[in-house]
Amino acid sequence: MTDEFDDLIGLLPDTRSEHAILNDVLMQCSALPRTFIYRQNTGQAWQGRPVDVPVGEYVRVTPGMKILAAARPIDFGIEGGGDAIGHRKGKAFQIETKALCGRQREAQKKFQAAWEQRGGIYILARDPRDAVNQLLSKT
């Protein structure tokens, strides 16, 4: 038995988080023939020597906290790069996923322009179906 609203499935915008959308993009794109895709992490982490401070001295330390001496940031990935990177039929592509209300940052717009000027395919997708359709049409 079909529901009277079954024909609307897929027409409504994807309201999930960017992380959830990205996971489905990776799964669906990796299932395409002649396609290789992986998650491209970007961000910042901290490195330093661990410092043991007894609870209650100078800093209140709670379980799971780490205090670092000589702390320094480590940036990884390429600023503005897509959430996923890969190639299909010999063409390089990057996919940036955004939730329904998400917007590209200025660094992402600059990266997109540089990537496309050099012949790369850049896809901005708000749902997995959109990412797959754009990838199929551009490769």
Side-chain angles (χ1 to χ4, degrees), residues 25-128:
V25 165
L26 291 167
M27 294 291 290
Q28 291 180 29
C29 288
S30 67
L32 296 172
R34 299 182 61 193
T35 304
F36 177 76
I37 184 172
Y38 62 93
R39 172 76 169 102
Q40 176 174 248
N41 289 305
T42 58
Q44 187 178 75
W46 288 83
Q47 176 179 331
R49 295 186 322 272
V51 176
D52 293 322
V53 178
V55 175
E57 284 192 24
Y58 301 114
V59 176
R60 181 166 298 279
V61 178
T62 58
M65 286 179 58
K66 278 284 185 199
I67 299 173
L68 300 174
R72 58 196 173 279
I74 299 172
D75 295 316
F76 53 94
I78 300 171
E79 185 179 10
D83 296 318
I85 186 170
H87 60 85
R88 175 171 164 71
K89 297 181 179 179
K91 294 185 179 180
F93 66 85
Q94 296 219 15
I95 300 176
E96 176 63 31
T97 56
K98 292 291 180 193
L100 186 59
C101 297
R103 295 179 185 232
Q104 261 186 315
R105 291 181 288 110
E106 195 58 37
Q108 292 171 327
K109 291 176 184 178
K110 288 179 181 179
F111 180 88
Q112 177 181 359
W115 183 259
E116 290 175 337
Q117 285 173 349
R118 289 156 181 83
I121 297 167
Y122 188 94
I123 296 170
L124 180 61
R126 297 192 182 278
D127 65 63

